[in-house]
Every structure is written in C-alpha cells, then in structure tokens.
Amino acid sequence: EAGVTQSPTHLIKTRGQQATLRCSPISGHTSVYWYQQALGLGLQFLLWYDEGEERNRGNFPPRFSGRQFPNYSSELNVNALELEDSALYLCASSLDEGKLNEKLFFGSGTQLSVL
Amino acid sequence: TQLLEQSPQFLSIQEGENLTVYCNSSSVFSSLQWYRQEPGEGPVLLVTVVTGGEVKKLKRLTFQFGDARKDSSLHITAAQPGDTGLYLCSYSGAGSYQLTFGKGTKLSVIP
C-alpha cells in the first residue's frame, strides 16, 4: 500500500512568487494535515482538511492557503513568497473517525527554497 | 498552546552507548507521542503513552510517561547508527484535532 506522497520533492522560487505543493494521502484516509518544518522552529501546524473542508488553521498569515479535492488529495498554496518561508513542508494523513487521532502518517515533504 | 521542551537539543554518541532524551512540560497531558524523523523523510510514530507511570518497550527503545503525565523520556540501549535521526515528542490538546510537536532531539550515532 502506498504511503503519503508529496510533490515536488524540491521547489526553488524567488521572493514574491507563488508556490503550489501537492499531497496524496494514504488510500482510505480522509484527513490531511500540513506542517511547516523550518530550521530551529520544529514542526509548526499549518492547516487541517477533512472531507473537503478546512477544519482548523495554525498561526500563519492568509497567504498560506490550500484545499482538499474530492479524492482527498490536497494542495498547499503559498502566495507572495518571503525568504522565511524556506522550509520543509510536510503533509500527513489520518483516518478521521470523528475523534482525536494521534497517529499521523507523514510524507517525505517538499523542500521549498525561496531565494 | 502548551509548550513541550525537549532536551538535549543535540546528542552525538558512539555506537553501543546508552542514552536518554527528555520531553517536559508544565502541563498535564492525556497522552504523549514519540516520533522519529530520519534525514530526508517525514516523522514516523514510534509509540503513544497514555497512563501516568506507563513504560513501553520497542526493541532497544524504552519509553516512560511520568507519574504526573507532564513529562516523558526515551531511553535507547546500545545505540546503533540506524537510530540516527530527530526524535520528536507531541501531544494533542484538548478540543484540538492536530498534534503539537516539540523541537526535537537530533541524535547522531557514530559507528
């Protein structure tokens, strides 16, 4: 069974551009989470999608947005890129059983570099 | 948001040595999770501890949840190069559906 897949693996952009990152969850998983892992800051929660809806959002500006498609795959969009957006962006999926789920399955991430 | 403090931040040891890393908070948790993230990969769940005083073993890894459920430790016996990685602890806050992570302990095991 395929795990969580993310694309692209690496992405290089310049300041002010827009970036789109993609994630396919494990088959059968309906919840998708996005985390940012920047040097020295650890994993910071960005967004949670379930059944096509945004369920929760971390402390990030509105230029970080995303969506979840009917097949449960997800996109993260970052507009007006800034240098400090350089980080590893991790996607995770889980079975949403209508309750707190502590077991996340992570992809290998997209390394975004903003020059 | 409750803070998770992990220590040490970095640890470099020789193969065969034992080590302990810590995850501490001033808050009480219903459960804590430990993840390991290898270079170039996403984190992988190792264990969830739920009961105060609970001890769980995963081969050479021993996880303990403090009696007061405010802290946890991970002990590795006879470390091997394959143990190299970033060890993260995390919790799920009340009413929250996402995990909050500590900054992690970066472990390097030198052959």
Side-chain angles (χ1 to χ4, degrees):
Chain A
E1 180 183 302
V4 177
T5 57
Q6 292 189 243
S7 64
T9 306
H10 295 84
L11 189 57
I12 299 174
K13 294 283 186 179
T14 56
R15 238 174 12 171
Q17 285 189 314
Q18 185 236 8
T20 298
L21 288 63
R22 296 180 177 82
C23 172
S24 292
I26 291 173
S27 177
H29 286 191
T30 61
S31 277
V32 170
Y33 302 79
W34 287 95
Y35 283 84
Q36 181 196 66
Q37 188 174 31
L39 279 175
L41 294 178
L43 274 82
Q44 304 289 316
F45 168 71
L46 265 167
L47 290 159
W48 169 37
Y49 291 95
D50 181 65
E51 298 286 355
E53 300 285 331
E54 182 181 301
R55 301 296 185 183
N56 203 0
R57 181 182 183 85
N59 189 25
F60 281 84
R63 56 191 187 82
F64 287 83
S65 64
R67 53 181 173 166
Q68 187 179 33
F69 300 98
N71 66 354
Y72 303 115
S73 67
S74 178
E75 248 179 30
L76 174 68
N77 294 292
V78 189
N79 294 319
L81 284 165
E82 300 178 1
L83 295 177
E84 51 266 34
D85 296 334
S86 294
L88 181 67
Y89 288 83
L90 290 162
C91 171
S93 73
S94 72
L95 281 169
D96 177 37
E97 301 168 325
K99 60 176 181 171
L100 192 60
N101 193 321
E102 300 151 339
K103 185 167 187 178
L104 299 185
F105 295 83
F106 283 87
S108 297
T110 292
Q111 183 67 53
L112 174 63
S113 299
V114 183
L115 308 178
Chain B
T1 302
Q2 301 150 312
L3 279 177
L4 284 172
E5 302 282 345
Q6 290 194 246
S7 62
Q9 193 175 352
F10 300 97
L11 187 57
S12 181
I13 62 169
Q14 295 288 331
E15 182 176 359
E17 291 183 349
N18 301 332
L19 66 112
T20 303
V21 299
Y22 301 92
C23 175
N24 296 299
S25 174
S26 57
S27 303
V28 176
F29 298 107
S30 57
S31 67
L32 273 176
Q33 299 81 41
W34 284 93
Y35 283 78
R36 177 171 66 206
Q37 184 177 17
E38 297 181 14
E41 300 294 331
V44 175
L45 178 68
L46 296 173
V47 78
T48 298
V49 286
V50 178
T51 306
E54 180 178 10
V55 176
K56 282 191 173 179
K57 294 195 173 186
L58 189 66
K59 297 182 181 178
R60 293 175 294 100
L61 279 60
T62 302
F63 303 85
Q64 186 161 8
F65 202 14
D67 291 340
R69 292 186 288 122
K70 292 183 178 182
D71 53 84
S72 182
S73 64
L74 159 58
H75 181 80
I76 301 179
T77 303
Q80 298 177 1
D83 296 325
T84 292
L86 180 67
Y87 288 81
L88 297 158
C89 64
S90 65
Y91 76 92
S92 309
S96 168
Y97 283 79
Q98 73 273 349
L99 296 181
T100 298
F101 288 83
K103 291 185 179 180
T105 292
K106 190 169 183 180
L107 172 66
S108 296
V109 181
I110 302 164

